[in-house]
Amino acid sequence: MTTNALRRSGSKGQAGDKIFSGAALGAGILILVTLLAVAVFLLIQALPTFTADPTLVSGGEGFFSYIYPIVIGTVIAAAIALLIATPVGIAVALFISHYAPRRLAAGLGYVIDLLAAIPSVIYGAWGYLVLAPALVPSFQWLAENLGFIPLFEGPASQTGKTILTAGIVLAVMVLPIITSLSREIFLQTPKLHEEAALALGATRWEMITMSVLPFARPGIISAVMLGLGRALGETMAVALVLSTGSLIPSLIKSGNQTIAAEIALNFPEAFGLRLSELIAAGLVLFVITLVVNLIARAIIARHKEFSGAN
Amino acid sequence: MSKRIDVKDLNVYYTNFLAVEDVSIEIEAKSVTAFIGPSGCGKSTFLRTLNRMHEVIPGGRVEGEVLLDGDNLYESGVDPVTVRSQIGMVFQRPNPFPTMSIKDNVLAGVKLNNKKISRSDADALVEKSLRGANLWNEVKDRLDKPGSGLSGGQQQRLCIARTIAVKPQVILMDEPCSALDPISTLAIEDLINELKNEFTVVIVTHNMQQAARVSDKTAFFNIAGTGKPGKLIEYADTTTIFSNPGVKATEDYVSGRFG
């Protein structure tokens, strides 16, 4: 009988390896199972809505005519939020990572992170009590001067509780997400690439556009997508700020509704078919977020060859 | 297209720490000058002061003068950006911009400061620079592929092409071969020999044979001990430094007795 001295008898290290790989695999499976369970729950609970007589669904014209205005409302609110928060967030992150003196940068970073810790109901209350009334004059100005654009058609809301206000509140809420993630990525830019740009005679801004931003691009996209996830799903702030109504193009009149707020406002009193409707609305929101994430992945993957990972 | 550098009584500090003390040196135009010395003796730090790259490190500052054909780099009102476009730099590890193609890498410096360049001029410049870096034949069929896909030695030559594309007066090289294999190192050394026909080249190297092979003059830096500033010990023709050095420490170092 030959014994191979290189064969290891079950040592402690091997056991550790096995436990860890088992735990990692378990965690991965748990995520998939959870996701699947959520999808199945939503599908089963929502099913009656799709099979029911269209005249019985809210609005009386079937589920599609019920859902599409609030889908568009959701997208509009999230789009406004990202249009504002993305440039501001990236600019603040760049300021913290590459322009601010070190002491100021650390303080500013903390303040931004604190913004993320404020509960959304507080943002909602602030939007309702402070921001909305404060925006009324600007809305009136927009209606008078840019009223020919459907987006700013008057008469402007007297309370300021419009989809634009909701979008701005959402922008403030997603700003810390975009800022802190972008800042982390910007700080990880290899010194080597920054110095390469500087040594060619680049100014600080040129160095940022040549080495920092290209390096951070996938990270920025992820940050924006996370922000978008929050903006799409945010309930409380929108429910408090927005004076809801039917779908209208004007951003400065009362009206529009988002899926999350629709569900939250109606859920407590819903039963039977109405409950299924709201869960179906939730399913639609779930699909939207999923699609958005897939698109983001695709964008990141398309530039893999040039990502610097190779 | 090359200028001389005169350094007068230069002290380099990081915040309050004196890293390099009292260096005076004259570097001739169209020559190769090598800086040698043990690790931590300040030769890289000193090299970076020649195009103000040390300022990138927080707290980096100097006292003294660095003159490029008589113009002081450190006079108030001199923009480091201008200095660096005149005095290019090649780093220890190859650092092509990973998100750019080979061609865009070569043109990166040229396109700075919003300079416009016509397509045909750009193509001509890319070819000239890559030929100048002995890289053209290897990459001419894949100019649109990312520069990070090249081998280490090719990447380093791409970085040299990028540097010479902006037509600098001086090229500084900070241990350009330390991350490369012997064949790639040889390619870079051949290139350095050609570069000195057009440019002033200053190279920091750990490899004494390399200094002996490529340089016209050699400067030996040394450090008295940890926490002490680095100093220029001896500066002379390369042949003198290696065969008949004037200082004992230099002789010990080049003969391999320490360092």
Side-chain angles (χ1 to χ4, degrees):
Chain A
M1 231 189 78
T2 56
T3 51
N4 187 336
L6 297 174
R7 276 173 62 172
R8 284 210 291 174
S9 50
S11 67
K12 267 187 195 162
Q14 260 177 328
D17 264 2
K18 273 185 190 148
I19 293 170
F20 181 75
S21 78
L25 183 69
I29 290 173
L30 192 66
I31 288 174
L32 285 179
V33 168
T34 314
L35 199 64
L36 200 70
V38 170
V40 167
F41 159 79
L42 287 173
L43 268 175
I44 291 175
Q45 295 283 316
L47 206 60
T49 319
F50 303 120
T51 52
D53 181 357
T55 54
L56 295 177
V57 176
S58 300
E61 290 166 38
F63 180 67
F64 180 73
S65 1
Y66 163 70
I67 194 74
Y68 93 86
I70 60 175
V71 167
I72 295 177
T74 308
V75 172
I76 293 174
I80 294 171
L82 286 189
L83 275 177
I84 299 171
T86 307
V88 176
I90 292 174
V92 173
L94 273 179
F95 177 73
I96 294 175
S97 66
H98 283 84
Y99 282 89
R102 247 191 276 172
R103 245 185 249 163
L104 181 63
L108 211 55
Y110 281 124
V111 173
I112 298 284
D113 288 343
L114 270 182
L115 275 183
I118 299 175
S120 60
V121 67
I122 307 276
Y123 280 111
W126 169 74
Y128 178 94
L129 290 171
V130 180
L131 186 66
L135 283 175
V136 171
S138 336
F139 287 174
Q140 273 161 355
W141 183 89
L142 280 173
E144 277 165 32
N145 295 284
L146 296 169
F148 58 91
I149 305 170
L151 290 180
F152 301 120
E153 196 189 297
S157 161
Q158 291 301 311
T159 57
K161 294 167 71 179
T162 71
I163 191 95
L164 185 54
T165 313
I168 294 172
V169 173
L170 287 177
V172 179
M173 296 177 71
V174 301
L175 187 67
I177 298 178
I178 296 180
T179 304
S180 54
L181 282 174
S182 309
R183 180 196 56 185
E184 288 302 314
I185 307 280
F186 292 157
L187 287 175
Q188 282 171 19
T189 310
K191 268 264 148 342
L192 223 55
H193 296 149
E194 294 184 5
E195 291 189 343
L198 290 175
L200 285 172
T203 61
R204 200 183 318 208
W205 173 244
E206 286 166 337
M207 181 269 281
I208 286 168
T209 55
M210 278 169 91
S211 55
V212 179
L213 291 181
F215 172 82
R217 197 167 166 280
I220 293 174
I221 294 174
S222 316
V224 171
M225 287 305 140
L226 269 178
L228 179 58
R230 173 146 200 208
L232 286 172
E234 177 49 42
T235 312
M236 211 52 224
V238 178
L240 282 174
V241 167
L242 184 59
S243 158
T244 62
S246 55
L247 177 66
I248 46 163
S250 175
L251 303 178
I252 57 172
K253 286 202 275 194
S254 302
N256 294 318
Q257 174 65 303
T258 71
I259 296 178
E262 168 84 3
I263 297 174
L265 289 174
N266 295 300
F267 207 80
E269 289 149 28
F271 58 90
L273 186 59
R274 182 72 180 126
L275 190 61
S276 294
E277 263 175 38
L278 293 177
I279 290 175
L283 177 66
V284 171
L285 185 57
F286 180 70
V287 171
I288 293 175
T289 341
L290 208 63
V291 168
V292 162
N293 269 300
L294 289 178
I295 294 173
R297 295 253 161 212
I299 296 173
I300 294 169
R302 205 175 52 195
H303 291 269
K304 216 169 214 153
E305 202 184 1
F306 284 88
S307 73
N310 43 6
Chain B
M1 205 174 40
S2 68
K3 290 184 177 176
R4 55 179 289 118
I5 292 182
D6 296 283
V7 180
K8 289 180 186 161
D9 308 323
L10 195 78
N11 292 326
V12 190
Y13 294 89
Y14 290 120
T15 319
N16 290 320
F17 173 70
L18 180 60
V20 179
E21 188 178 16
D22 196 23
V23 174
S24 297
I25 196 169
E26 286 117 41
I27 296 166
E28 297 294 330
K30 294 194 182 184
S31 71
V32 179
T33 304
F35 294 171
I36 60 170
S39 295
C41 69
K43 53 195 188 306
S44 287
T45 298
F46 176 66
L47 185 79
R48 290 169 74 101
T49 63
L50 300 184
N51 72 342
R52 296 185 67 167
M53 277 301 286
H54 72 292
E55 291 172 7
V56 174
I57 297 160
R61 64 190 172 88
V62 301
E63 286 166 1
E65 288 186 340
V66 179
L67 307 173
L68 180 67
D69 265 11
D71 300 324
N72 187 0
L73 306 187
Y74 289 95
E75 212 166 86
S76 65
V78 174
D79 188 349
V81 169
T82 321
V83 171
R84 292 174 197 145
S85 64
Q86 301 254 322
I87 306 177
M89 191 161 201
V90 176
F91 294 84
Q92 201 164 347
R93 278 176 50 207
N95 55 356
F97 297 111
T99 52
M100 292 185 193
S101 66
I102 292 171
K103 183 178 166 187
D104 289 340
N105 258 293
V106 177
L107 293 174
V110 185
K111 283 182 179 166
L112 286 174
N113 309 316
N114 298 321
K115 258 178 263 163
K116 291 276 178 284
I117 180 166
S118 78
R119 213 190 168 83
S120 56
D121 286 355
D123 288 343
L125 181 64
V126 168
E127 179 169 349
K128 181 167 177 267
S129 306
L130 285 170
R131 278 191 194 283
N134 287 336
L135 190 61
W136 175 251
N137 287 324
E138 290 158 70
V139 300
K140 63 182 174 198
D141 301 321
R142 43 173 172 161
L143 293 175
D144 294 323
K145 292 279 185 298
S148 49
L150 299 173
S151 77
Q154 289 172 326
Q155 287 188 20
Q156 193 62 298
R157 278 179 282 151
L158 177 58
C159 293
I160 294 174
R162 177 176 74 187
T163 305
I164 60 183
V166 297
K167 303 188 176 71
Q169 308 291 343
V170 180
I171 299 176
L172 308 177
M173 297 185 171
D174 189 358
E175 298 181 42
C177 303
S178 64
L180 305 182
D181 66 280
I183 306 277
S184 307
T185 301
L186 194 66
I188 304 269
E189 286 180 9
D190 288 345
L191 179 55
I192 292 171
N193 264 323
E194 289 169 28
L195 287 176
K196 77 168 175 181
N197 297 326
E198 265 187 272
F199 305 97
T200 308
V201 179
V202 184
I203 177 173
V204 165
T205 178
H206 264 300
N207 180 332
M208 281 178 276
Q209 287 79 27
Q210 181 168 65
R213 283 193 296 264
V214 301
S215 69
D216 302 309
K217 292 187 104 177
T218 298
F220 172 62
F221 288 78
N222 203 357
I223 187 169
T226 330
K228 301 262 173 52
K231 283 183 179 171
L232 174 62
I233 303 297
E234 189 171 358
Y235 176 51
D237 286 340
T238 299
T239 44
T240 314
I241 289 279
F242 282 94
S243 57
N244 189 20
V247 183
K248 180 80 166 51
T250 315
E251 192 183 345
D252 287 351
Y253 185 76
V254 298
S255 61
R257 238 166 293 177
F258 88 100

